[in-house]
């Protein structure tokens, strides 16, 4: 069955796979481990713990793959900061640890695919980092040298073979991989159930409380009592401030263009541009393949008309791949970018030792979520893990102080919006299918006009820390520019850390449209 989703766009994966839909949690349940989140982080953790004979229950506010896993481009590649960036910030020893964890994550996914017989289009292939400009050549050389020092078999090559255009020099990373993320999650979910695990969709965790012996996860009409809790919700909802000063949310965009089967080589491609781009091929429908081109990232809630990024990506793709046919898919997803470039995986610094986080994907969601699942499993099983200090959520932002300061200044500036006027003077300026924020006295109101003309008014105050939300026309959502919370047009939470929906607002009489005269409509034959 097709599950829920957290945006109005539809990814290639949603159109070419189905995932099991599980019932909501009812009443009170007991478990050794409660995993919150049914994406790749949560389901991989639940699967690995089930292999250890742990009694595991998974809950998700929407359902399997309904969050960011269904919106990724699902490839395994070097760190988003690249190895020279990791080495510069953390040193050679830590860079080597990062490389080792990335290799182990890929091996883990491949072993799961083989053990469980998951038909998810898993494929090994080479990846290439290319320059966007001629003066990027020294950066490629630095990256290749750093990757080799980290133990990666990278090499500098004169170009990327088989693309039909001259990419110029590139760093080649052999042995990378890609897969179909929702087919992979489908296999993981079924394997968890076979091993006695429980999964519940439409089950929104609201609160975690307890001590080192037992935690209680509270939902709207249910609760789970567990010895351990894993928060795998992309960004943690249980921490109000600390973790959200260490990372920022970005929207990333993807277009999918049909191309003839085997007309392009199967490889991964990334560039050093700003905005940057990433490329892969995937199986499509009716025998074609799909050229996926992504990038054009910007901070969540900080672009007034985000839909133009699709046009820019399509134009970039067609300039380089003239054989591309019609545009068949376009979607966006959320990326949590840690200030120092490494994910936050391990014990939550704000709770007892039995609450764990998997967050800070940094554009490497497939890899970091798998690393996080392995690391958290070791912590639950009280086994040593070589990466626990490297990815520790409690680490200080000493390696990203500039980014930390810049991010906090950006957030502070957003609170100034409460002193400004609205984006429109009245609801009459809002077209059907669009939204805007208007000022009504001392409050800012987020108003959406649906395609039938009805108005849906909400408080513009994000329920996390009170920042004013902005309209995202590309996903038909209200997005917070401070800490990346997202809400649908009825105010329901699509993405944390916001714990509760936006408050509904009754518009002042002067703002609401006059009631329609049904009799006059009948006379006109409408």
């Amino acid at each position: 069955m097709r599950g829920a989703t957290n945006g109005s766009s539809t990814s290639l994966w949603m159109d070419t796979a189905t995932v099991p839909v599980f019932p909501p949690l009812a009443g009170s349940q007991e478990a050794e481990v409660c995993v919150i989140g049914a994406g790749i982080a949560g389901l991989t953790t639940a699967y690995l713990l089930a292999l250890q004979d742990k009694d595991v229950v998974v809950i998700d506010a929407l359902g399997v793959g309904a969050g960011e896993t269904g919106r990724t481009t699902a490839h395994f590649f070097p760190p988003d900061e690249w190895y020279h960036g990791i080495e510069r910030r953390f040193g050679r020893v830590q860079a080597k640890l990062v490389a080792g964890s990335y290799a182990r994550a890929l091996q883990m996914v491949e072993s799961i695919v083989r053990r469980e017989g998951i038909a998810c289009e898993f494929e090994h292939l080479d990846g290439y980092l290319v320059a966007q400009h001629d003066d990027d050549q020294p950066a490629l050389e630095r990256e290749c040298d750093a990757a080799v020092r980290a133990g990666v078999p990278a090499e500098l090559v004169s170009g990327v073979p088989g693309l039909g255009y001259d990419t110029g020099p590139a760093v080649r990373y052999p042995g990378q991989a890609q897969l179909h993320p929702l087919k992979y999650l489908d296999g993981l979910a079924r394997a968890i159930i076979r091993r006695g695990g429980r999964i519940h969709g439409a089950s929104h965790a609201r609160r975690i409380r307890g001590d080192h012996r037992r935690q209680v996860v509270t939902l709207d009409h249910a609760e789970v009592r567990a010895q351990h809790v894993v928060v795998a919700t992309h960004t943690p909802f249980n921490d109000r401030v600390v973790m959200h000063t260490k990372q920022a949310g970005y929207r990333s965009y993807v277009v999918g263009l049909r191309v003839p089967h085997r007309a392009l080589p199967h490889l991964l491609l990334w560039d050093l541009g700003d905005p940057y781009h990433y490329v892969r091929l995937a199986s499509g429908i009716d025998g074609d393949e799909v050229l996926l081109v992504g990038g054009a990232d910007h901070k969540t809630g900080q672009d007034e008309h985000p839909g133009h990024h699709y046009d820019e990506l399509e134009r970039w793709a067609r300039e380089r791949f003239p054989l591309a046919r019609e545009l068949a898919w376009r979607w966006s997803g959320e990326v949590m970018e840690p200030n120092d470039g490494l994910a936050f995986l391990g014990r939550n610094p704000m709770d007892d030792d039995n609450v764990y986080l998997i967050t800070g994907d940094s554009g490497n969601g497939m890899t970091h979520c798998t690393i996080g699942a392995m690391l958290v499993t070791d912590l639950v099983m009280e086994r040593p893990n070589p990466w626990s200090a490297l990815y520790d959520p409690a680490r200080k932002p000493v390696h990203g102080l500039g980014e930390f300061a810049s991010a906090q200044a950006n957030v502070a500036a957003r609170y100034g919006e409460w002193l400004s006027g609205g984006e429109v003077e009245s609801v009459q300026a809002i077209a059907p299918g669009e939204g805007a924020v208007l000022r009504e006295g001392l409050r800012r109101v987020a108003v959406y006009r649906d395609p039938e003309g009805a108005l849906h008014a909400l408080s513009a105050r994000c329920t996390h820390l009170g920042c004013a939300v902005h309209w995202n026309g590309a996903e038909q959502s209200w997005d917070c520019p401070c800490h990346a919370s997202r809400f649908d047009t009825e105010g329901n939470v699509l993405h944390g850390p916001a714990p509760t929906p936006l408050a509904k607002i009754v518009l002042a009489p002067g703002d609401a449209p006059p009631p329609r005269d049904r009799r006059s409509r009948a006379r006109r034959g409408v």
Side-chain angles (χ1 to χ4, degrees), residues 427-428 438-441 443 445 455 457 505-513:
V427 298
Q428 312 307 325
L438 59 87
R439 178 168 290 285
E440 191 179 70
R443 65 184 181 180
V445 184
L455 297 174
I505 294 288
V506 177
L507 292 171
D511 282 328

Side-chain angles (χ1 to χ4, degrees), residues 5 19 25 53 122 201 219 360 376 385 493 505:
T5 182
V19 293
L25 181 73
D53 296 322
F122 180 88
L219 294 78
V376 167
N385 183 286
V493 178
I505 294 288

